Each structure stands twice: as C-alpha cells, then as structure tokens.
Amino acid sequence: MIFVETRIPGCFLIEPEPQRDDRGFFARTYCPDEFAAAGIVFAPVQTNLSRNDKAFTLRGMHFQKAPHAEAKLVQVARGKIHDVVVDLRPDSPAFRQWVGAELSADNLHQLYIPEGCAHGFLTLEAGTDVLYGMGRKYVPGHARGYRYDDPAFAIEWPRPPAVIAPADEAWPAFGA
Ligand SMILES: Cc1cn([C@H]2C[C@H](O)[C@@H](COP(=O)(O)OP(=O)(O)O[C@H]3O[C@H](C)C(=O)[C@H](O)[C@H]3O)O2)c(=O)[nH]c1=O
C-alpha cells in the first residue's frame, strides 16, 4: 500500500498494490502494520456500504460530534466518486481547508480521514457503491454537518448535485 499525506495533516490518499495474475488481482485494503508504519493508528471496528443509484448524488458534509468523532477509511467498490474532506480542527494548520480525490473501482484509491474532519462525496457514475471502515462504532444522535457549498470552505465540485437529501441541504452555515 502506498500512503500519500494530503495537505490536511493525518489525511492520506492510499494506493493499494494489486497482485495481478491471469485470474485478475488481489489487493490488500487495510493492514495495521502498514498503517502504523505510515504513522496512522487505526483499526476499523465497523464497516458500512453506501449504495447510490444515480450519478451526481451528493452525501455530506458529515462528521460526528465529539466524543464520538470517527476516523474513516473510504473506498469505492463500484463506480466513481469525487471524495472531499474538510479539516474542522481549529488547531490544524489546514483548518477549514479541503482536499478532494477521485476514488473509483478502477483506480482502487482510498482516502483515510482522521477524526475532526467532515466528509462528503459526489458520485460520478450511476450505481456507485462506497465502502467505509470506521474507527468507532456509530452513535445515533451525534451527526453534524455543513452544506457542500458553504462559502467558508469554497469546495470545488465537478458539478452541482442532482440528488441530495433534504437534511444535507439544511445544515447550518459554518460559524453560524
Ligand atoms: C452513518 C451511519 C448511519 N446509520 C443510519 C442512520 C440513518 O438511518 C441511515 C442513513 O444515514 P445517513 O442518512 O446519515 O447516511 P449518509 O448520508 O450516507 O451519511 C454518511 O455519509 C457521509 C458522507 C459520511 O461520511 C458518513 O459515513 C455518513 O454520515 O443509516 C447507521 O445505522 N450507521 C451509521 O454508521
């Protein structure tokens, strides 16, 4: 696995190293030793699957309120997304900055998102499945978020969403 830290400290783009043969390939998508060697202390304790039927479906920008903040390992099992992370840690040099990456079933790329960051994605193909490894079990009632187009972050999206949940349109403005 190849780890490339983004401009958000602790947020990594991860490129698995598929072992290819005549049948296809085998790729490791998580390994505690390789993560530890990259300086990441993370062990998924819950996994989630997000199925998105339509292209240009947007989910986000979500995070869990402390003390239930979640680190996440995100990968696309089918289709393609524009994945975005926003640093919400006031003491971070990248506070309020965002990073984006195209994750797809073809490029196998993953994003590791540390606690204290918001996460969201826009699907770029119909029938996109997003897999999550979560660093903490989900605790209902602690979900928080901001709008994907909040001017405080000025996130660049490939295009506006065609599908978005009312709850994701109703998040408060950052700093409100
Ligand atoms: C996150 C989560 C949700 N749920 C339940 C709660 C709702 O009844 C239902 C759908 O939840 P929600 O509408 O929050 O799903 P998304 O909008 O895809 O939210 C996720 O999308 C953004 C992009 C993320 O990074 C988070 O993983 C997560 O917030 O699943 C659970 O039972 N367990 C869970 O871990």
Side-chain angles (χ1 to χ4, degrees), residues 46 48 50 59-60 62-63 70 72 119-121 132 134 138 143 168:
Q46 177 181 309
N48 301 324
S50 169
R59 297 177 186 248
H62 299 164
F63 61 100
E70 298 161 331
K72 302 169 188 172
H119 172 245
F121 62 81
Y132 295 83
M134 308 297 287
Y138 175 69
D168 283 344

PDB file of all heavy atoms in Angstrom, residues 46 48 50 59-60 62-63 70 72 119-121 132 134 138 143 168, ligand 1:
ATOM      1  N   GLN A  46     -16.179  -0.910  12.536  1.00  0.00           N
ATOM      2  CA  GLN A  46     -17.489  -1.029  11.896  1.00  0.00           C
ATOM      3  C   GLN A  46     -17.276  -0.768  10.422  1.00  0.00           C
ATOM      4  O   GLN A  46     -16.469   0.095  10.074  1.00  0.00           O
ATOM      5  CB  GLN A  46     -18.483  -0.007  12.474  1.00  0.00           C
ATOM      6  CG  GLN A  46     -19.859  -0.027  11.812  1.00  0.00           C
ATOM      7  CD  GLN A  46     -20.800   1.017  12.391  1.00  0.00           C
ATOM      8  OE1 GLN A  46     -20.974   1.107  13.612  1.00  0.00           O
ATOM      9  NE2 GLN A  46     -21.407   1.821  11.523  1.00  0.00           N
ATOM     10  N   ASN A  48     -19.329  -0.014   6.645  1.00  0.00           N
ATOM     11  CA  ASN A  48     -20.599   0.444   6.076  1.00  0.00           C
ATOM     12  C   ASN A  48     -20.540   0.390   4.553  1.00  0.00           C
ATOM     13  O   ASN A  48     -19.470   0.523   3.966  1.00  0.00           O
ATOM     14  CB  ASN A  48     -20.873   1.895   6.498  1.00  0.00           C
ATOM     15  CG  ASN A  48     -20.931   2.059   8.008  1.00  0.00           C
ATOM     16  OD1 ASN A  48     -21.414   1.182   8.725  1.00  0.00           O
ATOM     17  ND2 ASN A  48     -20.423   3.177   8.497  1.00  0.00           N
ATOM     18  N   SER A  50     -22.502   2.232   1.260  1.00  0.00           N
ATOM     19  CA  SER A  50     -23.410   3.289   0.801  1.00  0.00           C
ATOM     20  C   SER A  50     -23.696   3.050  -0.678  1.00  0.00           C
ATOM     21  O   SER A  50     -22.790   3.146  -1.515  1.00  0.00           O
ATOM     22  CB  SER A  50     -22.736   4.667   0.978  1.00  0.00           C
ATOM     23  OG  SER A  50     -23.464   5.681   0.333  1.00  0.00           O
ATOM     24  N   ARG A  59     -23.639  13.214  -0.848  1.00  0.00           N
ATOM     25  CA  ARG A  59     -23.831  12.968   0.588  1.00  0.00           C
ATOM     26  C   ARG A  59     -22.748  13.730   1.332  1.00  0.00           C
ATOM     27  O   ARG A  59     -21.576  13.627   0.990  1.00  0.00           O
ATOM     28  CB  ARG A  59     -23.715  11.471   0.898  1.00  0.00           C
ATOM     29  CG  ARG A  59     -24.782  10.603   0.220  1.00  0.00           C
ATOM     30  CD  ARG A  59     -24.549   9.142   0.516  1.00  0.00           C
ATOM     31  NE  ARG A  59     -25.437   8.229  -0.200  1.00  0.00           N
ATOM     32  CZ  ARG A  59     -26.371   7.509   0.410  1.00  0.00           C
ATOM     33  NH1 ARG A  59     -26.551   7.622   1.715  1.00  0.00           N
ATOM     34  NH2 ARG A  59     -27.143   6.677  -0.280  1.00  0.00           N
ATOM     35  N   GLY A  60     -23.169  14.492   2.341  1.00  0.00           N
ATOM     36  CA  GLY A  60     -22.161  15.228   3.132  1.00  0.00           C
ATOM     37  C   GLY A  60     -22.601  16.670   3.345  1.00  0.00           C
ATOM     38  O   GLY A  60     -23.714  17.039   2.977  1.00  0.00           O
ATOM     39  N   HIS A  62     -20.401  15.500   6.374  1.00  0.00           N
ATOM     40  CA  HIS A  62     -20.798  14.952   7.670  1.00  0.00           C
ATOM     41  C   HIS A  62     -19.611  14.720   8.602  1.00  0.00           C
ATOM     42  O   HIS A  62     -18.509  14.399   8.167  1.00  0.00           O
ATOM     43  CB  HIS A  62     -21.494  13.600   7.471  1.00  0.00           C
ATOM     44  CG  HIS A  62     -22.722  13.690   6.649  1.00  0.00           C
ATOM     45  ND1 HIS A  62     -23.315  12.593   6.075  1.00  0.00           N
ATOM     46  CD2 HIS A  62     -23.491  14.754   6.283  1.00  0.00           C
ATOM     47  CE1 HIS A  62     -24.378  12.972   5.397  1.00  0.00           C
ATOM     48  NE2 HIS A  62     -24.516  14.279   5.506  1.00  0.00           N
ATOM     49  N   PHE A  63     -19.933  14.816   9.890  1.00  0.00           N
ATOM     50  CA  PHE A  63     -18.999  14.394  10.935  1.00  0.00           C
ATOM     51  C   PHE A  63     -19.816  14.075  12.182  1.00  0.00           C
ATOM     52  O   PHE A  63     -20.965  14.515  12.317  1.00  0.00           O
ATOM     53  CB  PHE A  63     -17.954  15.487  11.235  1.00  0.00           C
ATOM     54  CG  PHE A  63     -18.535  16.789  11.721  1.00  0.00           C
ATOM     55  CD1 PHE A  63     -18.548  17.104  13.080  1.00  0.00           C
ATOM     56  CD2 PHE A  63     -19.088  17.716  10.833  1.00  0.00           C
ATOM     57  CE1 PHE A  63     -19.074  18.310  13.527  1.00  0.00           C
ATOM     58  CE2 PHE A  63     -19.636  18.922  11.271  1.00  0.00           C
ATOM     59  CZ  PHE A  63     -19.621  19.217  12.625  1.00  0.00           C
ATOM     60  N   GLU A  70     -15.309  10.219  14.322  1.00  0.00           N
ATOM     61  CA  GLU A  70     -14.944   8.971  13.644  1.00  0.00           C
ATOM     62  C   GLU A  70     -13.805   9.206  12.655  1.00  0.00           C
ATOM     63  O   GLU A  70     -13.871  10.136  11.861  1.00  0.00           O
ATOM     64  CB  GLU A  70     -16.143   8.434  12.835  1.00  0.00           C
ATOM     65  CG  GLU A  70     -17.370   8.088  13.636  1.00  0.00           C
ATOM     66  CD  GLU A  70     -18.622   8.029  12.750  1.00  0.00           C
ATOM     67  OE1 GLU A  70     -18.673   8.745  11.734  1.00  0.00           O
ATOM     68  OE2 GLU A  70     -19.539   7.257  13.106  1.00  0.00           O
ATOM     69  N   LYS A  72     -12.223   7.523   9.279  1.00  0.00           N
ATOM     70  CA  LYS A  72     -12.855   6.716   8.241  1.00  0.00           C
ATOM     71  C   LYS A  72     -11.850   6.331   7.167  1.00  0.00           C
ATOM     72  O   LYS A  72     -11.007   7.132   6.777  1.00  0.00           O
ATOM     73  CB  LYS A  72     -13.979   7.519   7.545  1.00  0.00           C
ATOM     74  CG  LYS A  72     -15.057   7.999   8.462  1.00  0.00           C
ATOM     75  CD  LYS A  72     -15.969   9.008   7.759  1.00  0.00           C
ATOM     76  CE  LYS A  72     -16.930   9.610   8.788  1.00  0.00           C
ATOM     77  NZ  LYS A  72     -17.721  10.718   8.229  1.00  0.00           N
ATOM     78  N   HIS A 119     -16.678  14.856   5.980  1.00  0.00           N
ATOM     79  CA  HIS A 119     -16.509  14.038   4.768  1.00  0.00           C
ATOM     80  C   HIS A 119     -17.773  14.113   3.932  1.00  0.00           C
ATOM     81  O   HIS A 119     -18.891  14.173   4.468  1.00  0.00           O
ATOM     82  CB  HIS A 119     -16.229  12.584   5.147  1.00  0.00           C
ATOM     83  CG  HIS A 119     -16.235  11.662   3.961  1.00  0.00           C
ATOM     84  ND1 HIS A 119     -17.164  10.658   3.806  1.00  0.00           N
ATOM     85  CD2 HIS A 119     -15.450  11.619   2.861  1.00  0.00           C
ATOM     86  CE1 HIS A 119     -16.934  10.031   2.671  1.00  0.00           C
ATOM     87  NE2 HIS A 119     -15.899  10.584   2.066  1.00  0.00           N
ATOM     88  N   GLY A 120     -17.559  14.153   2.616  1.00  0.00           N
ATOM     89  CA  GLY A 120     -18.688  14.083   1.693  1.00  0.00           C
ATOM     90  C   GLY A 120     -18.211  13.626   0.329  1.00  0.00           C
ATOM     91  O   GLY A 120     -17.003  13.582   0.068  1.00  0.00           O
ATOM     92  N   PHE A 121     -19.158  13.242  -0.512  1.00  0.00           N
ATOM     93  CA  PHE A 121     -18.780  12.837  -1.875  1.00  0.00           C
ATOM     94  C   PHE A 121     -19.905  13.122  -2.858  1.00  0.00           C
ATOM     95  O   PHE A 121     -21.079  13.227  -2.463  1.00  0.00           O
ATOM     96  CB  PHE A 121     -18.372  11.357  -1.936  1.00  0.00           C
ATOM     97  CG  PHE A 121     -19.440  10.360  -1.566  1.00  0.00           C
ATOM     98  CD1 PHE A 121     -20.420   9.984  -2.488  1.00  0.00           C
ATOM     99  CD2 PHE A 121     -19.471   9.774  -0.307  1.00  0.00           C
ATOM    100  CE1 PHE A 121     -21.399   9.061  -2.155  1.00  0.00           C
ATOM    101  CE2 PHE A 121     -20.439   8.843   0.028  1.00  0.00           C
ATOM    102  CZ  PHE A 121     -21.406   8.486  -0.887  1.00  0.00           C
ATOM    103  N   TYR A 132     -17.021   1.884   3.692  1.00  0.00           N
ATOM    104  CA  TYR A 132     -16.355   2.621   4.775  1.00  0.00           C
ATOM    105  C   TYR A 132     -15.823   1.637   5.809  1.00  0.00           C
ATOM    106  O   TYR A 132     -16.544   0.723   6.227  1.00  0.00           O
ATOM    107  CB  TYR A 132     -17.369   3.473   5.534  1.00  0.00           C
ATOM    108  CG  TYR A 132     -18.050   4.587   4.815  1.00  0.00           C
ATOM    109  CD1 TYR A 132     -19.166   4.351   4.018  1.00  0.00           C
ATOM    110  CD2 TYR A 132     -17.620   5.893   4.983  1.00  0.00           C
ATOM    111  CE1 TYR A 132     -19.834   5.401   3.405  1.00  0.00           C
ATOM    112  CE2 TYR A 132     -18.287   6.936   4.371  1.00  0.00           C
ATOM    113  CZ  TYR A 132     -19.396   6.684   3.590  1.00  0.00           C
ATOM    114  OH  TYR A 132     -20.058   7.726   3.000  1.00  0.00           O
ATOM    115  N   MET A 134     -14.812   2.171   9.691  1.00  0.00           N
ATOM    116  CA  MET A 134     -14.982   3.252  10.676  1.00  0.00           C
ATOM    117  C   MET A 134     -14.141   2.971  11.909  1.00  0.00           C
ATOM    118  O   MET A 134     -14.082   1.845  12.401  1.00  0.00           O
ATOM    119  CB  MET A 134     -16.459   3.334  11.089  1.00  0.00           C
ATOM    120  CG  MET A 134     -17.433   3.428   9.911  1.00  0.00           C
ATOM    121  SD  MET A 134     -17.213   4.915   8.920  1.00  0.00           S
ATOM    122  CE  MET A 134     -17.892   6.139  10.054  1.00  0.00           C
ATOM    123  N   TYR A 138     -20.876   3.593  15.358  1.00  0.00           N
ATOM    124  CA  TYR A 138     -21.805   4.704  15.168  1.00  0.00           C
ATOM    125  C   TYR A 138     -22.643   4.952  16.411  1.00  0.00           C
ATOM    126  O   TYR A 138     -23.150   4.005  17.016  1.00  0.00           O
ATOM    127  CB  TYR A 138     -22.729   4.365  13.994  1.00  0.00           C
ATOM    128  CG  TYR A 138     -23.829   5.350  13.717  1.00  0.00           C
ATOM    129  CD1 TYR A 138     -23.529   6.619  13.223  1.00  0.00           C
ATOM    130  CD2 TYR A 138     -25.161   5.012  13.914  1.00  0.00           C
ATOM    131  CE1 TYR A 138     -24.549   7.525  12.941  1.00  0.00           C
ATOM    132  CE2 TYR A 138     -26.181   5.911  13.636  1.00  0.00           C
ATOM    133  CZ  TYR A 138     -25.864   7.166  13.147  1.00  0.00           C
ATOM    134  OH  TYR A 138     -26.866   8.052  12.870  1.00  0.00           O
ATOM    135  N   ALA A 143     -24.767  13.120  14.800  1.00  0.00           N
ATOM    136  CA  ALA A 143     -24.370  13.506  13.443  1.00  0.00           C
ATOM    137  C   ALA A 143     -24.483  15.016  13.305  1.00  0.00           C
ATOM    138  O   ALA A 143     -25.469  15.629  13.725  1.00  0.00           O
ATOM    139  CB  ALA A 143     -25.244  12.801  12.418  1.00  0.00           C
ATOM    140  N   ASP A 168     -29.218  17.245   4.094  1.00  0.00           N
ATOM    141  CA  ASP A 168     -27.907  17.754   3.662  1.00  0.00           C
ATOM    142  C   ASP A 168     -28.010  19.153   3.062  1.00  0.00           C
ATOM    143  O   ASP A 168     -27.010  19.864   2.974  1.00  0.00           O
ATOM    144  CB  ASP A 168     -27.255  16.797   2.676  1.00  0.00           C
ATOM    145  CG  ASP A 168     -26.656  15.579   3.385  1.00  0.00           C
ATOM    146  OD1 ASP A 168     -26.481  15.650   4.627  1.00  0.00           O
ATOM    147  OD2 ASP A 168     -26.369  14.565   2.709  1.00  0.00           O
TER     148      ASP A 168
HETATM  149  C1  LIG B   1     -23.523   6.783   9.312  1.00  0.00           C
HETATM  150  C2  LIG B   1     -24.478   5.740   9.790  1.00  0.00           C
HETATM  151  C3  LIG B   1     -25.821   5.863   9.570  1.00  0.00           C
HETATM  152  N1  LIG B   1     -26.668   4.900  10.026  1.00  0.00           N
HETATM  153  C4  LIG B   1     -28.081   5.036   9.733  1.00  0.00           C
HETATM  154  C5  LIG B   1     -28.681   6.373  10.078  1.00  0.00           C
HETATM  155  C6  LIG B   1     -29.752   6.551   9.035  1.00  0.00           C
HETATM  156  O1  LIG B   1     -30.936   5.925   9.490  1.00  0.00           O
HETATM  157  C7  LIG B   1     -29.228   5.780   7.840  1.00  0.00           C
HETATM  158  C8  LIG B   1     -28.658   6.683   6.785  1.00  0.00           C
HETATM  159  O2  LIG B   1     -27.782   7.571   7.446  1.00  0.00           O
HETATM  160  P1  LIG B   1     -27.345   8.878   6.719  1.00  0.00           P
HETATM  161  O3  LIG B   1     -28.515   9.498   6.023  1.00  0.00           O
HETATM  162  O4  LIG B   1     -26.580   9.711   7.720  1.00  0.00           O
HETATM  163  O5  LIG B   1     -26.355   8.302   5.608  1.00  0.00           O
HETATM  164  P2  LIG B   1     -25.343   9.194   4.760  1.00  0.00           P
HETATM  165  O6  LIG B   1     -25.984  10.485   4.368  1.00  0.00           O
HETATM  166  O7  LIG B   1     -24.782   8.315   3.737  1.00  0.00           O
HETATM  167  O8  LIG B   1     -24.206   9.562   5.826  1.00  0.00           O
HETATM  168  C9  LIG B   1     -22.888   9.099   5.660  1.00  0.00           C
HETATM  169  O9  LIG B   1     -22.350   9.817   4.587  1.00  0.00           O
HETATM  170  C10 LIG B   1     -21.228  10.660   4.847  1.00  0.00           C
HETATM  171  C11 LIG B   1     -20.607  11.007   3.515  1.00  0.00           C
HETATM  172  C12 LIG B   1     -20.256  10.073   5.807  1.00  0.00           C
HETATM  173  O10 LIG B   1     -19.042  10.273   5.734  1.00  0.00           O
HETATM  174  C13 LIG B   1     -20.775   9.282   6.924  1.00  0.00           C
HETATM  175  O11 LIG B   1     -20.268   7.962   6.863  1.00  0.00           O
HETATM  176  C14 LIG B   1     -22.230   9.229   6.997  1.00  0.00           C
HETATM  177  O12 LIG B   1     -22.634  10.420   7.636  1.00  0.00           O
HETATM  178  O13 LIG B   1     -28.214   4.903   8.327  1.00  0.00           O
HETATM  179  C15 LIG B   1     -26.230   3.816  10.734  1.00  0.00           C
HETATM  180  O14 LIG B   1     -27.027   2.965  11.157  1.00  0.00           O
HETATM  181  N2  LIG B   1     -24.899   3.679  10.981  1.00  0.00           N
HETATM  182  C16 LIG B   1     -24.003   4.595  10.536  1.00  0.00           C
HETATM  183  O15 LIG B   1     -22.790   4.427  10.784  1.00  0.00           O
END
